[in-house]
Amino acid sequence: MTFDVSAVRALYPALADGHAYLDGAAGTQVPVTVIDAIAGAYRAGIGNLDGAFAASRRSDVIVAQARAAVADLVGGTADGVVFGPSATALAYRMSEALSRQWTTDDEIVVSRLDHDSNIRPWIQAAGRVGALVRWAEIDLATGELPAKQYADLVGPRTRLVAVTAASNAIGTRPDVAAIAGYAHAVGALCYVDGVHATPHVPVDIAALGADFYATSAYKWSGPHVAAVVADPELLETVWPDKLAPSSNAVPWRFERGTLPFADLAGVTAAVDHLAGLAAVGAGDGPGAGGMVAGPTRRERVLASMAAVEAHEAALFARLLDGLAEFGDVTLYGKAARRAPTAFFNIGARDPGAVAGHLASLGVNVWNGDNYAYELCQVLGLQSDGAVRAGIVHYNDASDVDRLLAGVAELAVR
Ligand SMILES: Cc1ncc(COP(=O)(O)O)c(C=O)c1O
């Protein structure tokens, strides 16, 4: 399997500014194919759905293609893909709808590892109906979210377990399949935040046991659109607040107002971009031309994301080895399975000042709690948080080395 990072980088116009983009965990740059797909939709002319004219039909096709693309990315079915403006907005939408079925006898489980968007909407929904909230805790020494604690956290009253597939701060990838197993054993649903995991690993929502899987396209080279993927049969059992004249059908009834059609064309282009990554720079991609049917897009996504995972793992090892050379650098979390995201502080230095120094060197990193609010509380970092350097597939060794050189100007060996 080839992964030619310089050929991949050449597809991203924004990278030409020479910055080391290690801020991908907060949003990636987009390849030219995504830019062209969005511009192309507007250029061709789009209309609202279900109209009698061609521009409307183009939007119908764009939506259908985007649902199929996201389904291929995560292993779902197109009819189970619900689009929304952000994973946060969708978590609120789903929590409002699901909690209509909860009572004061019910319980939900959230985790201290999660981004606040997979915690607060559930707590607020539970609060409105008087359901009890239980907390899964992280092991502070390792940053792991031990799955075994769920044996005590879930029970016959549990209706929902919300958990992340990867921490956007310390990278921890919990054993979601095991956690979902505990939920399903008592008839509860598992809502998985896949926003941070999706750009880094092959995703199979069935293998994860995710009843709902949230993902945001802007974290994987697409536009600012998010999706929740679920079994359409499950969605049939859930009723959100909706307008009287809007469709009652699944998945449409979960989508409020008019969809962002041009951006959805970009979503499809982003999935196609990911599906082609392993073949970029390797001449014709698998299945190109010829009479023999090539691999499906789902198969190409899985192969590409495996190549992405290996590429990112090598860069992450380089980053961790480099940071380990500094005596006053504190790295938070050392989970066995991690997304390639480093969360660290340099002595008592203000993380914002460190990020500012790195920015002056052309290195883009984030600082703060990055909305891993509960995690930062238990780590004692509060809102100052730490510095976050996140690797994505278009990063290369020079990005990592420039970060380490910048850290070396502030840290002691
Ligand atoms: C793990 C995780 N979950 C959820 C979100 C929120 O996503 P959105 O911006 O689409 O609401 C983020 C964004 O940073 C994230 O990293």
Side-chain angles (χ1 to χ4, degrees), residues 210-287:
D211 298 295
F212 299 90
Y213 184 88
T215 185
S216 289
Y218 76 96
K219 309 284 190 176
W220 35 264
S221 304
H224 288 85
V225 176
V228 167
V229 186
D231 184 335
E233 283 185 24
L234 173 60
L235 292 176
E236 290 289 355
T237 67
V238 185
W239 279 93
D241 281 336
K242 60 174 286 297
L243 303 184
S246 69
S247 173
N248 285 326
V250 164
W252 303 94
R253 70 174 178 236
F254 293 92
E255 293 167 337
R256 290 177 175 162
T258 309
L259 288 168
F261 305 123
D263 280 344
L264 291 179
V267 167
T268 303
V271 173
D272 285 333
H273 167 74
L274 295 178
L277 279 177
V280 172
D284 285 343

Side-chain angles (χ1 to χ4, degrees), residues 25-26 85-89 115 117 164 166-168 193 195-196 216 218-219 226 370 388:
S86 65
T88 304
H115 185 286
S117 69
T164 191
S167 160
N168 65 314
D193 178 351
V195 174
H196 194 66
S216 289
Y218 76 96
K219 309 284 190 176
N370 299 290
R388 180 179 67 176

Side-chain angles (χ1 to χ4, degrees), residues 290-318:
M291 299 298 288
V292 181
T296 63
R297 180 169 56 192
R298 172 70 181 149
E299 289 165 343
R300 289 187 294 116
V301 161
L302 291 173
S304 281
M305 295 312 294
V308 163
E309 189 176 7
H311 167 72
E312 293 180 356
L315 291 182
F316 192 48
R318 189 182 185 105

Side-chain angles (χ1 to χ4, degrees), residues 316-327:
F316 192 48
R318 189 182 185 105
L319 174 56
L320 294 185
D321 287 350
L323 290 177
E325 285 184 18
F326 303 108

